[in-house]
Amino acid sequence: MSTPVLEIKDLHVEIEGKAILKGLTLTVKGGEVHAIMGPNGTGKTSLAQTLMGHPHYTVTSGQVTLDGQDILAMRTDQRARAGLFLAMQYPSEISGVTTANFLRTAINSLRGEGNQIPLKEFRDRLDETMKFLEMDPKFSNRYLNEGFSGGEKKRNEILQMLMLKPRMAVLDEIDSGLDIDAIKVVAKGVKSLNGPEFGSLVITHYQRILSYLKPDFVHIMMDGRVVKSGDYQLAEELESKGYEWVRAEFSTPL
Amino acid sequence: MDTIAETNTMAPLEQFILDHYGQEPEWLLARRRRYGSLYLELPLPVRQRTPLKNRKLDRIPVLVSQPVTDISPNSSMFNLVTVNGRSVHATLPESATAQGVVLLSLREALRQSPELVQEALGSVVDDTVDKFQALNAALWQDGLFLYIPPRVNLTEPITISHYATADATAVLPRTLMILDRESRATVNEQYVSEAGLDKCLWSCATEIILHDAAVLQYGAIQQLSASAEAFVRRAARIGRDARIDWNIGEFGAGMVVSEHLSVLDQPGGQTYSTTVFFGSRSQHQDYTATARHVAPHTASNMTARGVMKDSARSVFTGVTDIKKGAVGSDGRQKEKILMLSDTSRADAIPSLLIEENDVFAAHAASAGPIDAHAVFYLMGRGLSETEAVRLIVHGFLAPVIDTIPVGALRDEVWAQVERKILE
Ligand SMILES: Nc1ncnc2c1ncn2[C@@H]1O[C@H](COP(=O)(O)OP(=O)(O)OP(=O)(O)O)[C@@H](O)[C@H]1O
Ligand SMILES: [Mg+2]
């Protein structure tokens, strides 16, 4: 498999007629870890959801391609099959569907007709991955996210990511609501995929997870745009100085 | 060839009854005439959410006395089959016959046990309830009679298929079941029809009498074609410490009005009811489940789960009716409906009529759209929209369908759900 490239060019997005993303440009390549930080309500989740094709968000202009393919023209499931994955800030609860059953259906959807995963192989992989993420095996037989704590849901997102092996992952606040040990586990999960065939875009408010993931690039988003990019140093700078100085710099007329 | 019942005035209707049912015992003929005249008197029923106007019912072609051949699919799998309202075969396993179980066409039962039939017929279902029911009482063609002797525990389910051909116009079968003291049985009725161009009227009645401590697992699956308009009435009288479990799957028919009633008039009687329905296209479905608590310490628990798509319309009314004197009774009901489209409509209406203080009654009802975020979430993992919806629908129905104790029925309900999702 080749190195994936996600290219976002001058993306404008509206929700219910209100402009949310206002010309966002960003490129993520395989082998790279990008972090996005920014104050509440600046459009980080909107970006993530738009990349995955959430029906509430309307793209008014701009382009998004994965390996040169226009993903904005694809349905959400096609994007997933193209290798895109979104760990959601607020994962849905699906009553009556066990995590295991769901995961097997998802893997088989990605693999396509006639190439279904043998049950034993699936079971083994699931057991192994859950052990790696220090998850109680009971979770696989519970209904998907139903009654899970915030942290359990986040861990379940990472479980799904490891089972589905995407090529490009967007992780929206995967660290929120996690205790320190859980953050380590989640970071370990993400790092296990790192390599030239996997790129990631990590949305977070906190420096702790970045200290484990060591992003190659850190972007600051404000008012629907990337207003500043840098390396890991930028995250540390934000941690100590907050957003005010960026805001000041950003609001100065260019 | 059809035989046309001129059903606009009494004289031709009476003549029709005489011509086609003349061989029957006098009491039954008198009964048919009585309901024939009631049928003529009654207006079309007025149902709050189901308009029944503009139905032409003055000439009802009814197949009555011509010989009928068994052309229903897989008919050998059933213990009894009716075709266009008339019974074509009845078979029981040797073991059941040896224990004294009786399964006959209703007409044959009239010949063999006239007193039993006379006593039971119309004693549970209210044939005066509306015009369509009166029509069934006046002109029912045939049906079945089942009797389980005291203490017999019938382990094999009894399966019944009601089938109608494309050219059928009025299908009016009746089912009469008597479970004697402490007996146990499982009975599944299935309703199937060929797709027809013209509307076909079904008016079906199922009457159940449970003597003391009898237990019945009753299952029904309705998968009539869109050309069918069905009126289905089921009622059970539940003896002391007796129990019925209703498991009803409603999937077919262009328009259906279906009711099942449990009359708990002896202490300790129990009724559990599960209704699963799935409306699609322009189906109109109107269901009522009623538990009537008359005696003390009776219990009812009614559950309904429905899925609606396209521009289908459903009404589910659950009635917990606790009469004065039914002290210590416990009546519960829960309805939940999942809407897959903006253009479908559903009403879940719990109705508690409680005349007694010393009782427990509870209800919960909800109808809501499928969670668009959940569909997105699942599609984000690679599932197609249909697969995502299917998984959510499965998850929604599983807690109810998986409680159906009869495996074959449970599988059939799932199969129908599957068919409706893909439809
Ligand atoms: N359904 C909606 N209808 C209207 N406005 C919305 C809707 N969803 C989000 N918004 C608005 O879009 C803007 C961007 O929200 P978004 O969730 O993308 O921010 P965020 O950067 O992820 O914030 P946070 O850090 O709090 O998660 C906010 O002003 C929010 O109020
Ligand atoms: Mg967010």
Side-chain angles (χ1 to χ4, degrees), chain A residues 205-238:
Chain A
H205 288 291
Y206 308 105
Q207 201 253 338
R208 183 177 298 277
I209 188 151
L210 300 183
S211 72
Y212 297 118
L213 292 180
K214 293 281 181 303
D216 305 289
F217 303 92
V218 173
H219 310 279
I220 299 173
M221 239 181 106
M222 275 184 187
D223 194 27
R225 259 169 291 194
V226 172
V227 294
K228 194 172 180 66
S229 296
D231 58 13
Y232 179 58
Q233 292 294 316
L234 184 56
E236 289 180 334
E237 217 172 324
L238 281 175

Side-chain angles (χ1 to χ4, degrees), chain A residues 97-109:
Chain A
V97 179
T98 64
T99 302
N101 189 8
F102 157 65
L103 269 172
R104 199 151 72 91
T105 310
I107 288 175
N108 285 332
S109 302

Side-chain angles (χ1 to χ4, degrees), chain A residues 45 89 172-173:
Chain A
T45 294
Q89 185 171 3
D172 191 1
E173 299 203 18

Side-chain angles (χ1 to χ4, degrees), chain B residues 323-383:
Chain B
K323 302 290 188 199
K324 188 94 201 140
V327 291
S329 288
D330 186 315
R332 302 167 192 232
Q333 54 167 302
K334 201 180 265 181
E335 292 95 36
K336 238 171 146 177
I337 298 162
L338 179 67
M339 326 275 292
L340 305 186
S341 70
D342 300 338
T343 45
S344 59
R345 266 193 73 191
D347 291 311
I349 307 164
S351 162
L352 304 185
L353 311 168
I354 297 172
E355 296 174 1
E356 181 58 59
N357 291 322
D358 182 17
V359 297
F360 179 85
H363 70 88
S366 66
I370 189 164
D371 180 356
H373 293 280
V375 174
F376 170 68
Y377 184 63
L378 296 180
M379 287 180 74
R381 302 302 183 245
L383 277 67

Side-chain angles (χ1 to χ4, degrees), chain A:
Chain A
M1 270 258 169
S2 57
T3 298
V5 183
L6 176 70
E7 271 193 288
I8 306 165
K9 279 191 204 144
D10 195 27
L11 186 64
H12 287 75
V13 170
E14 283 183 0
I15 184 160
E16 284 160 19
K18 183 177 139 196
I20 305 287
L21 297 188
K22 303 167 183 172
L24 186 137
T25 298
L26 189 65
T27 300
V28 183
K29 298 197 180 98
E32 296 174 354
V33 177
H34 290 242
I36 293 191
M37 306 185 81
N40 295 124
T42 49
K44 302 182 297 297
T45 294
S46 303
L47 169 66
Q49 304 273 68
T50 302
L51 291 176
M52 209 65 223
H54 193 291
H56 286 182
Y57 299 85
T58 313
V59 175
T60 50
S61 67
Q63 285 167 9
V64 183
T65 58
L66 181 62
D67 307 329
Q69 276 185 288
D70 176 13
I71 65 160
L72 296 179
M74 298 181 192
R75 293 189 313 263
T76 296
D77 54 322
Q78 294 170 323
R79 299 181 196 200
R81 273 176 243 145
L84 196 61
F85 180 93
L86 167 61
M88 295 207 197
Q89 185 171 3
Y90 304 109
S92 290
E93 300 191 5
I94 316 279
S95 184
V97 179
T98 64
T99 302
N101 189 8
F102 157 65
L103 269 172
R104 199 151 72 91
T105 310
I107 288 175
N108 285 332
S109 302
L110 294 179
R111 290 168 66 130
E113 207 70 45
N115 185 25
Q116 311 281 281
I117 187 168
L119 188 56
K120 169 101 173 65
E121 183 187 330
F122 170 75
R123 271 278 152 211
D124 291 349
R125 260 192 66 203
L126 182 60
D127 288 349
E128 195 184 304
T129 313
M130 290 183 83
K131 198 178 277 174
F132 177 67
L133 294 175
E134 297 166 33
M135 290 174 78
D136 186 331
K138 278 205 301 279
F139 277 96
S140 67
N141 291 319
R142 280 180 59 180
Y143 293 153
L144 185 57
N145 292 329
E146 193 178 62
F148 284 26
S149 73
E152 287 162 353
K153 284 181 185 168
K154 297 295 163 108
R155 221 183 269 228
N156 196 275
E157 293 291 282
I158 297 301
L159 171 68
Q160 292 177 39
M161 182 174 79
L162 296 197
M163 292 295 288
L164 300 178
K165 296 193 174 135
R167 305 172 61 236
M168 186 61 64
V170 180
L171 309 177
D172 191 1
E173 299 203 18
I174 196 66
D175 53 337
S176 297
L178 293 184
D179 59 40
I180 292 170
D181 290 340
I183 291 178
K184 275 190 203 160
V185 170
V186 162
K188 178 174 84 169
V190 178
K191 280 165 84 172
S192 73
L193 289 181
N194 278 352
E197 287 171 14
F198 178 74
S200 60
L201 186 57
V202 181
I203 297 169
T204 183
H205 288 291
Y206 308 105
Q207 201 253 338
R208 183 177 298 277
I209 188 151
L210 300 183
S211 72
Y212 297 118
L213 292 180
K214 293 281 181 303
D216 305 289
F217 303 92
V218 173
H219 310 279
I220 299 173
M221 239 181 106
M222 275 184 187
D223 194 27
R225 259 169 291 194
V226 172
V227 294
K228 194 172 180 66
S229 296
D231 58 13
Y232 179 58
Q233 292 294 316
L234 184 56
E236 289 180 334
E237 217 172 324
L238 281 175
E239 178 86 351
S240 56
K241 299 205 280 188
Y243 288 113
E244 275 320 303
W245 63 278
V246 189
R247 207 187 298 273
E249 196 173 292
F250 167 53
S251 56
T252 343
L254 297 173

Side-chain angles (χ1 to χ4, degrees), chain B residues 1 11 27-28 42 62 65 70 94 127 130 187 193 195 204 224 234 258 277 282 337 340 365 400 404 408 414 421:
Chain B
M1 218 197 77
W27 67 267
L28 185 52
L42 287 173
V62 185
S65 41
D70 185 356
E94 191 57 43
D127 285 316
D130 70 22
V187 176
S193 66
C204 321
L224 298 174
R234 304 187 174 97
S258 174
F277 58 95
S282 57
I337 298 162
L340 305 186
V400 167
I404 296 176
W414 275 128
I421 290 172

Side-chain angles (χ1 to χ4, degrees), chain B residues 47 129 233-238 244 246 248 258-264 270-275 287-294 299-304 316-323 331-333 335 349-353:
Chain B
R47 300 186 66 86
V129 69
R233 250 100 201 186
R234 304 187 174 97
R237 201 169 67 227
I238 296 157
I244 187 168
W246 306 92
I248 297 176
S258 174
E259 305 187 351
H260 63 275
L261 162 71
S262 304
V263 181
L264 299 153
Q270 297 177 45
T271 180
Y272 293 85
S273 123
T274 301
T275 307
Y287 308 115
T288 309
T290 305
R292 186 178 300 149
H293 297 254
V294 182
S300 65
N301 197 339
M302 304 189 285
T303 306
F316 190 98
T317 311
V319 185
T320 304
D321 181 8
I322 305 185
K323 302 290 188 199
R332 302 167 192 232
Q333 54 167 302
E335 292 95 36
I349 307 164
S351 162
L352 304 185
L353 311 168

